[in-house]
Amino acid sequence: MPSAVDLAAHPLTTWQGPLGLPDFTRIGDGDFSGVFDAALTAHEAEIEAISGNAETPTIENTLAALELGGEALDHVSSIFWCRAGAHTNEAIQALERDISPKMSRHFSAISMNERLFARIDELYQRRDALKLDAETLRVLEKTWKNFVRSGARLDAAGKKRLAAINEELSSLGTNFGQNLLADERDWALFLDEADIAGLPEFLKSAMAEAAEMRGQKGRYAVTLSRSIYEPFSTFSERRDLREIAFRAFTMRGQNGGATDNTAVVRDMLRLRAEKAKLLAYASYAALKLDDTMAKTPEAVHKLLDPVWEKALEKAASDQIELHRLAAEAGSNEEFAAWDWRFYQEKLRAEKFAFDESELKPYLQLDRIIDACFDVATKLFGISFEEKQGIATWHPDARVFIVRNADGSERGLFLADYFARPSKRSGAWMSALKSGYKLGDGSRPVIYNIMNFAKPPEGEAALLSVDEAKTLFHEFGHALHGMLTEVTWPSVAGTSVSRDFVELPSQLYEHWLTVPAVLEKHALHVKTGKPMPKALVDKMLAARTFGAGFATVEFTASALVDMAYHARPDAPDEPLRFEAETLERLNMPDTIAMRHRTPHFGHIFAGDGYSAGYYSYMWSEVLDADAFAAFEETGDLFNPALAERLRKNIYAAGGSKDPEELYIAFRGKMPSPEAMMAKRGLV
Ligand SMILES: [Zn+2]
């Protein structure tokens, strides 16, 4: 029998390293498994103590005890998931497969715990008499709702049916994803040198590699991966091949046979409608939107409908120009969906001829990091001091102490910028520890992970515009974590609804291209001179290009998602419903939905963005409207406005309803005008 782990002494759970971090030098891969088991057991005992407490439920002995419970589990989890993303290996990956189901069983047992719910329910029913402060009341209501949405108030038969629906939905979601993957894997169009004239080098080499992987070395493959399909339809001079690729791409998941997703979608929509009814919601969208900023399908439409109209107008006028280009190029075919990207690229090259590589020497990683810090100091008064020689999960990760304006310590910021084989792709923010005041309180320890190419020793790392934007974006999320001022852990930092969480990050991106910031930080790596104004202007102008097409293809998908889920029942033939919905919307036949139903993984390969695809655009509305507030004052660092932004958005976490927070910052709800202007739609 393995010796029991002492949670009170283990470096994974007692963080006694420098600056209050865990002592990473004493943590081995072999430690996780035993500590997880011990921490799960300890948390179970805590839950049992709360639910079995003979005393009358109080905020203290029930809600606070629940929120503060599981500290050891939080500690080991946060380090483990950091390692799993940022510096993994086979041992960590094997553990992941073992730990994920254990964790989901553990937390679903808590949400099904009837005695625990009874205590929460008792507090909830007495909530008015308890005279709670607003944040505590909100946490109580959210906790109660989460239990209810997990079926806590259903009778035994209802609970059983809900569990069956959830299980069936989860396996249908997996089928959906696997069918899609199979369709994408099995289709390829093999081409030879003569077929690929005019394609850019990066695409040729990706197509050569794709062909080789499919046993056709020396040839080139068009595949249905977006990273090949999109550039191919953008650059290929061969209209016949573009048409073949277009048809294959838009028919993914709808090719008959074992991998066809039509019936999967029909069954999922039925089960979702049934689940909503069981939990007493008018529709599945109503259930999913209940705890978001939008709240109702009507509010989502209030946003999407005007955008849709403008996007249709813009796309129609763009199409006339593209058609002209096609005619000039000698095409006498009717302009079709497989022509759009191709001629749009020709137009882009004509209007905004500039090379990304002209910009790169001005975007040095260290300077852009300084720019992130500098903007945070100007807006929010916090500053950053780097500490050398602190052990973390990897030697590349850097450690900064975050200080308040008065010099006191606010928390820590860790950042790990370079790609390596042990890191998964992408960029993200997470917390080793979130910041809150409840109990003994906790100071935030926030980190950012990036995947920039590591330069040779002694050279400066240079970024593309997109990478510099990503750095600002993730740093915006990090600020949401670092500036948090809430009492309750469950509403700290980024614990906000799906359609609100991208506001702090997308808003922060705006300051990257503020003239004063570029002048100070976008300095040429050799000459030290700032980016010339002509280059800045081109970079900014290129941003709105092609917005008609992009907005139509996106918004069509968001509207169809909402149409499926906002009805009380489910369509018998989803694909006919999709076609009818698009017809009602006047969808142009020269543009396809960004995701058609049979391959709309966001909403069917799992539940993540069902009735939620709109939220990408919702966040964009928020960030454009919020930045417009600064523009309206004529001062992009307006101190009074920055303070309202800090207090109501970056510091408030999920402590209040997001609508209330936004209005407290802005004085009104956001309107889509600023976003449409930013996209060039007005
Ligand atoms: Zn984000």
Side-chain angles (χ1 to χ4, degrees):
M1 203 177 119
S3 61
V5 172
D6 182 2
L7 292 175
H10 199 282
L12 271 171
T13 48
T14 57
W15 291 10
Q16 289 170 341
L19 306 176
L21 285 169
D23 184 350
F24 281 93
T25 63
R26 291 173 55 215
I27 297 171
D29 294 352
D31 290 341
F32 286 107
S33 183
V35 173
F36 259 113
D37 285 341
L40 283 165
T41 306
H43 193 209
E44 276 162 22
E46 285 168 336
I47 297 293
E48 181 50 36
I50 301 166
S51 47
N53 193 340
E55 287 168 35
T56 309
T58 61
I59 291 295
E60 195 63 26
N61 74 21
T62 301
L63 195 63
L66 187 59
E67 291 254 339
L68 292 172
E71 194 187 27
L73 188 58
D74 285 346
H75 281 179
V76 61
S77 297
S78 67
I79 301 173
F80 181 75
W81 295 112
C82 174
R83 280 289 310 274
H87 192 40
T88 191
N89 57 34
E90 274 178 28
I92 297 284
Q93 282 174 339
L95 268 171
E96 238 181 301
R97 290 190 290 273
D98 182 44
I99 286 164
S100 297
K102 266 189 199 168
M103 294 285 273
S104 86
R105 275 198 300 276
H106 176 75
F107 286 104
S108 90
I110 294 174
S111 66
M112 293 290 173
N113 185 320
E114 291 183 9
R115 288 177 304 152
L116 184 58
F117 176 65
R119 294 180 68 85
I120 295 287
D121 191 41
E122 198 179 324
L123 288 172
Y124 179 79
Q125 304 304 339
R126 286 196 282 128
R127 64 193 179 283
D128 292 333
L130 292 172
K131 306 257 182 288
L132 304 172
D133 64 87
E135 186 182 330
T136 304
L137 177 62
R138 181 166 161 87
V139 170
L140 175 59
E141 284 171 351
K142 276 172 83 85
T143 307
W144 184 84
K145 258 193 178 171
N146 284 340
F147 274 99
V148 170
R149 287 153 64 96
S150 309
R153 278 201 306 177
L154 296 175
D155 61 16
K159 280 194 173 112
K160 202 171 150 207
R161 181 62 194 147
L162 183 65
I165 291 174
N166 285 338
E167 204 167 302
E168 208 174 332
L169 277 173
S170 122
S171 71
L172 284 167
T174 306
N175 287 351
F176 184 97
Q178 288 174 352
N179 288 343
L180 180 54
L181 204 64
D183 267 19
E184 289 177 349
R185 191 190 52 215
D186 293 346
W187 191 91
L189 177 63
F190 294 100
L191 302 176
D192 296 305
E193 200 71 46
D195 304 315
I196 58 163
L199 297 187
E201 277 312 314
F202 82 89
L203 177 57
K204 277 190 198 172
S205 65
M207 287 170 65
E209 199 181 312
E212 188 175 342
M213 271 165 52
R214 288 162 176 78
Q216 301 250 11
K217 195 172 158 60
R219 304 188 75 193
Y220 301 88
V222 183
T223 67
L224 298 180
S225 140
R226 203 176 270 281
S227 63
I228 288 186
Y229 166 74
E230 279 187 5
F232 182 79
S233 39
T234 304
F235 294 107
S236 174
E237 302 280 342
R238 287 277 301 274
R239 189 170 196 265
D240 58 334
L241 301 180
R242 294 201 307 265
E243 178 177 355
I244 294 171
F246 173 85
R247 292 194 187 281
F249 192 73
T250 49
M251 289 298 283
R252 287 170 297 146
Q254 195 190 337
N255 292 305
T259 61
D260 195 292
N261 270 332
T262 315
V264 179
V265 167
R266 185 198 57 212
D267 293 348
M268 287 184 87
L269 290 172
R270 278 186 188 154
L271 289 165
R272 284 174 177 173
E274 186 188 344
K275 179 173 173 172
K277 199 169 279 174
L278 198 56
L279 293 170
Y281 283 90
S283 67
Y284 194 67
L287 166 66
K288 290 284 289 190
L289 290 167
D290 189 34
D291 67 346
T292 62
M293 180 173 177
K295 295 186 186 67
T296 63
E298 292 70 31
V300 173
H301 276 286
K302 232 174 120 182
L303 160 77
L304 292 181
D305 294 350
V307 176
W308 177 249
E309 291 308 319
K310 287 284 175 219
L312 283 182
E313 282 170 29
K314 180 79 172 76
S317 71
D318 285 353
Q319 187 173 332
I320 293 169
E321 203 168 356
L322 298 179
H323 202 187
R324 172 187 62 80
L325 271 184
E328 279 170 17
S331 165
N332 43 23
E333 314 269 1
E334 195 175 335
F335 191 83
W338 44 91
D339 293 322
W340 197 293
R341 287 180 200 278
F342 179 73
Y343 288 106
Q344 183 159 281
E345 172 57 24
K346 294 246 180 282
L347 190 62
R348 195 194 64 81
E350 188 182 296
K351 281 193 167 167
F352 303 106
F354 79 95
D355 198 342
E356 270 277 324
S357 60
E358 283 178 64
L359 294 168
K360 242 182 161 166
Y362 293 97
L363 301 171
Q364 304 174 55
L365 172 62
D366 281 335
R367 292 275 183 186
I368 304 301
I369 295 169
D370 284 348
C372 276
F373 290 171
D374 205 16
V375 170
T377 306
K378 281 208 181 89
L379 289 172
F380 307 125
I382 54 169
S383 59
F384 297 81
E385 180 199 342
E386 182 157 14
K387 283 281 168 194
Q388 308 283 351
I390 311 277
T392 64
W393 57 90
H394 189 277
D396 276 355
R398 297 164 63 174
V399 180
F400 301 86
I401 296 178
V402 188
R403 294 191 190 283
N404 294 308
D406 63 6
S408 59
E409 249 182 76
R410 156 162 287 279
L412 296 177
F413 174 60
L414 284 66
D416 182 358
Y417 294 109
F418 297 122
R420 54 176 172 262
S422 66
K423 199 189 262 188
R424 81 172 153 81
S425 61
W428 63 95
M429 164 275 185
S430 191
L432 286 182
K433 238 185 200 179
S434 54
Y436 56 84
K437 299 185 193 122
L438 192 69
D440 298 333
S442 164
R443 279 191 307 185
V445 180
I446 306 297
Y447 64 91
N448 272 172
I449 310 283
M450 305 284 149
N451 266 289
F452 303 142
K454 196 171 186 172
E457 197 62 40
E459 280 180 36
L462 301 178
L463 305 179
S464 68
V465 179
D466 276 350
E467 287 172 330
K469 246 190 180 173
T470 302
L471 190 73
F472 266 70
H473 180 100
E474 296 306 331
F475 192 72
H477 282 309
L479 285 171
H480 203 186
M482 293 185 285
L483 290 169
T484 198
E485 295 275 355
V486 305
T487 300
W488 292 82
S490 67
V491 292
T494 53
S495 304
V496 297
S497 68
R498 191 176 54 182
D499 58 2
F500 195 68
V501 73
E502 296 298 328
L503 169 60
S505 53
Q506 291 180 184
L507 174 58
Y508 208 67
E509 288 176 32
H510 288 261
W511 275 281
L512 167 63
T513 47
V514 161
V517 174
L518 287 176
E519 269 157 39
K520 186 169 172 195
H521 298 285
L523 304 179
H524 195 280
V525 61
K526 293 224 170 80
T527 66
K529 292 218 171 88
M531 194 183 282
K533 182 157 185 316
L535 199 54
V536 173
D537 289 346
K538 268 197 223 172
M539 176 178 87
L540 298 181
R543 286 191 310 194
T544 61
F545 182 75
F549 175 87
T551 311
V552 166
E553 66 158 11
F554 172 88
T555 311
S557 292
L559 287 167
V560 168
D561 169 32
M562 209 39 82
Y564 276 136
H565 294 109
R567 44 186 283 171
D569 56 355
D572 289 329
E573 292 179 56
L575 293 181
R576 204 177 75 196
F577 182 73
E578 176 190 273
E580 286 165 359
T581 305
L582 292 175
E583 198 176 314
R584 181 169 53 75
L585 290 168
N586 295 318
M587 176 78 171
D589 55 8
T590 48
I591 301 180
M593 294 169 72
R594 187 162 176 82
H595 310 278
R596 287 195 52 239
T597 301
H599 48 255
F600 202 163
H602 293 79
I603 69 169
F604 292 117
D607 194 37
Y609 275 80
S610 58
Y613 193 62
Y614 79 90
S615 41
Y616 294 99
M617 185 166 279
W618 186 273
S619 307
E620 209 183 313
V621 166
L622 293 178
D623 79 66
D625 185 77
F627 193 70
F630 283 90
E631 291 174 321
E632 286 160 16
T633 68
D635 175 2
L636 298 177
F637 295 93
N638 184 300
L641 194 57
E643 174 53 20
R644 286 220 299 277
L645 180 66
R646 186 198 64 77
K647 183 170 171 234
N648 298 298
I649 308 292
Y650 285 90
S655 61
K656 288 183 188 157
D657 183 281
E659 183 178 330
E660 195 184 319
L661 290 174
Y662 194 83
I663 292 173
F665 156 63
R666 183 67 160 117
K668 62 181 174 72
M669 272 294 268
S671 66
E673 277 73 36
M675 182 273 281
M676 291 196 281
K678 181 183 150 202
R679 283 193 167 220
L681 295 175
V682 284

